[in-house]
Amino acid sequence: MNSKFLLAASLSALLLSSGARADEGMWTFDAFPAAKMKSTYGFAPDQAWLTKVQQSAVRLSVGCSASLVSDTGLILTNWHCASSCVADLSSAERDYGLKGFLAATLTDEKVCPGMEAEVLVSITDKTAQVKAATKGVEASKVAQIRSVAITKLEEEACKDADKDLFRCDMISLFRGGQYKLYKYRIYKDVRLVFSPENVMGFFGGDPDNFNFPRYNLDSAFLRAYENGKPVSTPTHLTWTTETPKDGEVVFVAGNPGSTERLRTTSQLKFERDYRLLTRQLVRSELRGRLIEYRTKNDEAKRSAEETLFGVENSFKAQYGQQRALMDPHFFAIKEKEEANLKAKVRANPKLLATIGDPWAEIDAALTKQQDLFLEHEFLEARAGSISGLYGAARQLVRIANERAKPLAERLPGFSDAAIGQTEKQLLTETPIYKDMEVIGLELWLSKAREYLTADNPSIKRLLGAESPEGLAARAIAGTKLTDKAAREALIKGGKAAIDASTDPLIVLARRAETDARAINVKMNQEVNGPISQAAEKIAKARFAIYGTNVYPDATFTLRLSYGVVKGWNYAGVTVPATTTIGGYFERASGEFPYVAAPSWLAAKSSLDQSTPFNIVSTNDIIGGNSGSPLIDKQGRVVGAVFDGNIHSLGGNYAYDGRLNRTVSVTTASITEALRKIYKADRLVAELKSK
């Protein structure tokens, strides 16, 4: 699909008919609308099907989804979900991004630094307990009191479990309408098994991103290990090379990151006018700096590739979100939905007396958020930009300070369990590129000064008499945090070691911490607490009026969506649902980013050119679903989700079933490539074993 087809026209017709919304929904596994689906398609999965899929679905710590596809811990995900592992394992002499990676034997499978895999074990409703803890609490204290209550419930749920094997997370659903305890089985040893060349994982590059037709082998295989051996996973999805046809029902089981479909229109305006606008401006400058840096030499190009990919992907996705929120027709629809809900509340005196006017409460909090936004954005939310070293320094300083406080006085997210998890991440060894670190730190310091002004007291404390450029260069050149032993010593030494450290990045993070923590607390007291209380009231109204047969906003937790294989028609152009391997060779012009992989050209004559390559369906997804298995009615994996089309970029705020499409790479094309191009006989045999 050509990117000239803008979102505005497609969004103007959003939600105009119930038929367009038939496949809408990112459903939790404990509240799947089986009756609704059966009435639409004459089929719905039973509990045994749901249980098997839940136990086969995987969440990766890199912000992606995946699935178990063999009884020895083999995991299917996307190339771009494994790309950070590939980058960490690569070097100038051994570039797995350029050549691809295939483990010939189990002993050749390589540990992905810091990557973890999680499988959801159970979901338990804890709504009553959480709400009881905050009942009658004034708005400014709600966020802190709730955080303490949640931490205690999480610790209670996992008190008898091996902390290295399980984790318990409290998940807020329906903007605080429900609280569910999610218990995960954790695998902390994840190894790379297979990843194709970058030119195959991201064929078409940025021009084809969020478009269709696509011809990408955006797939990779990992494996979960424990005690040095592959884990036993008798429950897993069955592999098939069959590809579903047009109109056939398919499911996506994955972890959509976040949506804002239940936010008020005032909150969406704030998102559009403040957060998205500011971040896109900064992101565009970062993108330019990275592109310029890549021209220095081959090593700069290699080392910046993963970061630039992430920046460009985020830029395009959030550009789509901006387009959606700038469309007056779209906003009129959201405003009408909100007006209808308000009218139903006003028509219910008992409900009205119970909840009052939570929309007005949110508007009042947003007025305060506007005043706090820039300081919170640059001192707290986005501090350090892409500098991983400064991020580590900041975490070390904050952990030391928060650990010294009683739980009730700590910032949300700094329970003992959470601190322990962060410390483990801080001790992960990954490649560090100091030139890139300087770019990230310098950008943050310069943008913070630009937006907050040089006269801002926080900026004066942050920079002192130095320039952003000079401070960034000096701090990165002089830091010892590149050494794992140095980081470990600071963790073990606690607050005393942090306070005594002369490491320039620790000194900078110490200087920044007082103001950063203060704006964090202020935001929680004046904005987040009041908004969360008001959102709970709106959730209560939704439940009272519409019942519980609705789905919550995405929270990067396991969801199931259903739909059908289906192309679409837009502006007189019919887009078919599938592409083929033969189409890949036709599209490969030889010019970047349409350069065919040498391995594919060499094997061209042996490939079945009619093999379905990429496929689209009406499933409702969002970022975080990358790597999710595409599953047929029999519960077999038929593909791996890797993208959405251009129309789906407004999916953060609404779903349009006429045009929104999920894009997946088929298991048929993955198998064809493994067999005939990569000669991965061991891997193919494992996939085919029942």
Side-chain angles (χ1 to χ4, degrees):
M1 199 68 178
N2 193 301
S3 58
K4 70 181 179 181
F5 296 143
L6 299 178
L7 285 169
S10 67
L11 289 169
S12 65
L14 259 173
L15 313 180
L16 293 182
S17 69
S18 60
R21 304 182 70 178
D23 299 335
E24 178 181 353
M26 303 171 187
W27 303 92
T28 59
F29 271 69
D30 61 338
F32 183 77
K36 178 174 180 272
M37 182 184 177
K38 192 163 187 177
S39 69
T40 303
Y41 292 114
F43 170 83
D46 59 19
Q47 188 55 51
W49 191 102
L50 292 170
T51 299
K52 179 180 179 181
V53 170
Q54 177 182 317
Q55 294 175 354
S56 302
V58 175
R59 185 171 72 171
L60 298 175
S61 58
V62 291
C64 285
S65 300
S67 59
L68 293 165
V69 290
S70 86
D71 59 7
T72 51
L74 188 65
I75 297 170
L76 169 68
T77 190
N78 288 154
W79 158 86
H80 73 264
C81 295
S83 61
S84 60
C85 172
V86 171
D88 289 343
L89 296 175
S90 295
S91 64
E93 298 75 28
R94 187 181 54 190
D95 188 347
Y96 294 128
L98 180 65
K99 299 293 181 70
F101 176 87
L102 173 65
T105 66
L106 278 177
T107 56
D108 295 321
E109 296 176 358
K110 296 183 179 294
V111 175
C112 290
M115 186 183 289
E116 295 183 357
E118 304 169 332
V119 175
L120 179 61
V121 175
S122 63
I123 304 172
T124 308
D125 194 337
K126 296 289 184 180
T127 304
Q129 293 93 318
V130 175
K131 290 194 173 184
T134 57
K135 186 176 181 180
V137 175
E138 62 181 87
S140 65
K141 297 180 180 179
V142 165
Q144 185 65 34
I145 297 297
R146 183 193 295 114
S147 176
V148 173
I150 285 174
T151 295
K152 291 179 179 178
L153 288 168
E154 289 173 341
E155 291 177 349
E156 175 68 21
C158 267
K159 70 177 181 179
D160 297 325
D162 187 327
K163 296 299 190 296
D164 287 330
L165 300 180
F166 293 92
R167 187 174 72 251
C168 295
D169 289 342
M170 189 71 74
I171 307 300
S172 171
L173 301 171
F174 298 103
R175 300 291 164 186
Q178 291 180 349
Y179 291 89
K180 301 285 184 78
L181 198 291
Y182 279 51
K183 186 174 184 179
Y184 292 95
R185 176 70 161 87
I186 307 172
Y187 300 100
K188 297 186 176 183
D189 182 354
V190 178
R191 305 189 188 185
L192 183 65
V193 179
F194 167 79
S195 179
E197 312 93 321
N198 290 349
V199 293
M200 283 311 306
F202 198 41
F203 178 78
D206 190 59
D208 276 7
N209 198 18
F210 297 113
N211 283 304
F212 198 80
R214 296 292 290 278
Y215 304 88
N216 289 49
L217 194 71
D218 198 345
S219 57
F221 289 94
L222 308 167
R223 193 184 305 277
Y225 278 71
E226 275 182 345
N227 301 318
K229 297 179 180 180
V231 299
S232 174
T233 50
T235 301
H236 60 83
L237 298 179
T238 301
W239 189 267
T240 180
T241 56
E242 294 182 26
T243 301
K245 305 292 192 297
D246 278 18
E248 290 189 17
V249 170
V250 285
F251 300 83
V252 172
N255 300 272
S258 67
T259 54
E260 297 176 51
R261 298 178 185 179
L262 299 182
R263 289 189 184 271
T264 68
T265 55
S266 294
Q267 288 177 291
L268 295 182
K269 288 176 183 177
F270 180 87
E271 183 77 5
R272 177 193 67 198
D273 298 339
Y274 287 84
R275 186 175 288 112
L276 280 174
L277 176 63
T278 304
R279 290 185 180 179
Q280 284 293 77
L281 286 171
V282 175
R283 189 175 285 115
S284 64
E285 184 168 334
L286 174 58
R287 180 188 188 191
R289 292 189 184 205
L290 291 173
I291 289 173
E292 181 182 15
Y293 172 68
R294 288 178 80 245
T295 64
K296 288 181 62 176
N297 51 53
D298 288 344
E299 178 58 11
K301 181 179 180 180
R302 185 192 68 79
S303 61
E305 188 166 26
E306 173 69 12
T307 301
L308 181 59
F309 167 76
V311 169
E312 290 189 328
N313 190 65
S314 295
F315 184 89
K316 195 166 188 179
Q318 295 197 19
Y319 169 74
Q321 293 171 16
Q322 279 185 303
R323 294 290 312 193
L325 294 179
M326 289 167 61
D327 178 16
H329 299 286
F330 170 76
F331 241 97
I333 293 164
K334 298 298 289 185
E335 287 171 338
K336 183 177 179 180
E337 285 183 332
E338 187 170 279
N340 287 340
L341 179 59
K342 288 180 177 179
K344 292 179 185 298
V345 170
R346 287 193 297 269
N348 186 332
K350 184 177 180 180
L351 180 61
L352 180 61
T354 301
I355 71 168
D357 189 354
W359 292 273
E361 294 170 18
I362 287 176
D363 288 347
L366 287 174
T367 299
K368 294 181 180 179
Q369 188 172 8
Q370 291 173 13
D371 295 335
L372 300 176
F373 171 71
L374 287 178
E375 285 199 353
H376 184 265
E377 181 76 356
F378 287 99
L379 299 179
E380 174 69 2
R382 310 295 283 181
S385 185
I386 59 167
S387 172
L389 287 174
Y390 180 76
R394 190 164 177 259
Q395 289 281 21
L396 288 165
V397 169
R398 181 158 291 182
I399 283 173
N401 289 340
E402 296 304 307
R403 181 176 265 147
K405 297 179 174 67
L407 179 61
E409 297 177 15
R410 294 180 190 176
L411 291 174
F414 282 86
S415 65
D416 289 341
I419 287 174
Q421 180 71 10
T422 302
E423 287 177 338
K424 289 179 182 178
Q425 294 171 351
L426 285 168
L427 296 179
T428 299
E429 293 190 271
T430 58
I432 295 170
Y433 306 104
K434 285 201 168 183
D435 287 349
M436 296 271 290
E437 293 287 332
V438 171
I439 289 173
L441 189 56
E442 179 187 306
L443 179 71
W444 166 54
L445 292 170
S446 64
K447 293 292 106 177
R449 184 178 66 177
E450 177 183 324
Y451 279 86
L452 299 182
T453 79
D455 294 320
N456 182 286
S458 298
I459 296 301
K460 288 182 177 181
R461 285 188 284 270
L462 188 64
L463 291 176
E466 293 185 88
S467 69
E469 296 78 12
L471 176 53
R474 178 182 64 80
I476 297 300
T479 187
K480 304 298 183 185
L481 296 183
T482 52
D483 183 1
K484 176 184 175 181
R487 302 193 299 274
E488 191 167 19
L490 288 169
I491 289 173
K492 290 180 178 178
K495 187 167 172 33
I498 290 292
D499 290 345
S501 176
T502 58
D503 186 288
L505 278 182
I506 295 293
V507 172
L508 178 61
R510 280 204 313 258
R511 267 198 332 243
E513 177 62 7
T514 299
D515 291 327
R517 191 184 194 281
I519 194 67
N520 183 310
V521 171
K522 198 169 186 179
M523 186 69 80
N524 279 328
Q525 290 177 345
E526 298 184 14
V527 178
N528 297 335
I531 284 180
S532 67
Q533 274 194 326
E536 286 184 13
K537 296 174 184 177
I538 294 176
K540 184 174 183 178
R542 287 183 182 277
F543 288 142
I545 292 167
Y546 302 122
T548 57
N549 194 28
V550 291
Y551 64 95
D553 266 325
T555 53
F556 195 48
T557 52
L558 187 62
R559 303 293 179 89
L560 187 66
S561 71
Y562 62 86
V564 294
V565 174
K566 187 178 181 181
W568 73 99
N569 185 282
Y570 182 72
V573 177
T574 298
V575 183
T578 60
T579 60
T580 65
I581 286 178
Y584 161 75
F585 290 105
E586 293 174 5
R587 197 171 183 85
S589 66
E591 295 293 329
F592 178 82
Y594 301 105
V595 179
S599 61
W600 282 63
L601 289 173
K604 181 178 178 180
S605 62
S606 67
L607 295 171
D608 181 350
Q609 306 277 312
S610 66
T611 302
F613 203 164
N614 294 166
I615 188 170
V616 292
S617 59
T618 62
N619 297 84
D620 191 2
I621 65 160
I622 199 72
N625 271 119
S626 289
S628 299
L630 187 71
I631 306 168
D632 65 9
K633 291 199 299 185
Q634 291 94 326
R636 303 177 301 178
V637 58
V638 294
V641 173
F642 71 88
D643 207 355
N645 65 352
I646 194 73
H647 306 286
S648 70
L649 290 176
N652 199 44
Y653 313 109
Y655 170 83
D656 179 6
R658 298 173 309 108
L659 297 171
N660 286 23
R661 293 295 181 269
T662 291
V663 185
S664 304
V665 55
T666 68
T667 51
S669 63
I670 296 170
T671 306
E672 184 77 356
L674 290 175
R675 288 179 57 241
K676 297 180 180 178
I677 297 172
Y678 301 106
K679 311 301 182 185
D681 296 339
R682 178 180 73 97
L683 187 52
V684 172
E686 182 175 358
L687 290 168
K688 288 187 174 183
S689 65
K690 304 301 182 183

